[in-house]
Amino acid sequence: MKWWNDGKTPDYRFTLANERTFLAWIRTALAFMAGAVGIDQFTPDLGVPWMRHAVTTALLVAAFCLGLCAYRRWAATERAMRQEKDIPYTGLLPLIALFVSLVGMALLLLILIR
């Protein structure tokens, strides 16, 4: 992390806020993982197996990607604060909202097919 020494050290409150945001993204990724495990292990009779496995796989892939993106977002925000630049926008927020909506619809279908 060479960039850590670049620029000016930001107010510690902003650094801590950035860290809390990072941890919120990680909690979301962990919730996706927990949902995947719950669907896979505790609902063997829910809907058709291929659809249940598809939802589980989608949740696990999303959790993996979200974990990686959380770090990248934290680092980009920290770098911007140190260089006194605008904080970069993330396009992940609408994607996560869409993903959660799609998973919700898939789960609804699984319950109705049952």
Side-chain angles (χ1 to χ4, degrees):
M1 292 190 324
K2 245 182 186 181
W3 55 265
W4 189 261
N5 296 321
D6 291 346
K8 178 181 158 190
T9 303
D11 186 331
Y12 72 93
R13 292 173 291 183
F14 299 120
T15 299
L16 292 174
N18 189 31
E19 184 176 324
R20 284 190 301 273
T21 302
F22 167 76
L23 293 173
W25 286 83
I26 294 298
R27 280 192 305 272
T28 303
L30 288 171
F32 285 174
M33 279 189 235
V37 169
I39 291 168
D40 185 60
Q41 295 296 308
F42 302 118
T43 60
D45 299 328
L46 183 65
V48 291
W50 69 265
M51 194 170 176
R52 190 176 60 252
H53 292 304
V55 171
T56 300
T57 301
L59 283 167
L60 288 173
V61 168
F64 173 76
C65 293
L66 201 54
L68 291 177
C69 291
Y71 176 79
R72 291 186 63 207
R73 186 179 191 284
W74 170 83
T77 301
E78 191 68 30
R79 204 174 299 118
M81 288 190 305
R82 287 178 175 280
Q83 296 172 0
E84 297 182 353
K85 294 182 178 176
D86 290 340
I87 293 174
Y89 171 78
T90 178
L92 277 178
L93 298 177
L95 288 176
I96 292 171
L98 177 63
F99 176 75
V100 169
S101 299
L102 291 174
V103 167
M105 292 296 275
L107 289 173
L108 180 63
L109 283 174
L110 280 172
I111 290 169
L112 292 176
I113 290 173
R114 195 173 181 201

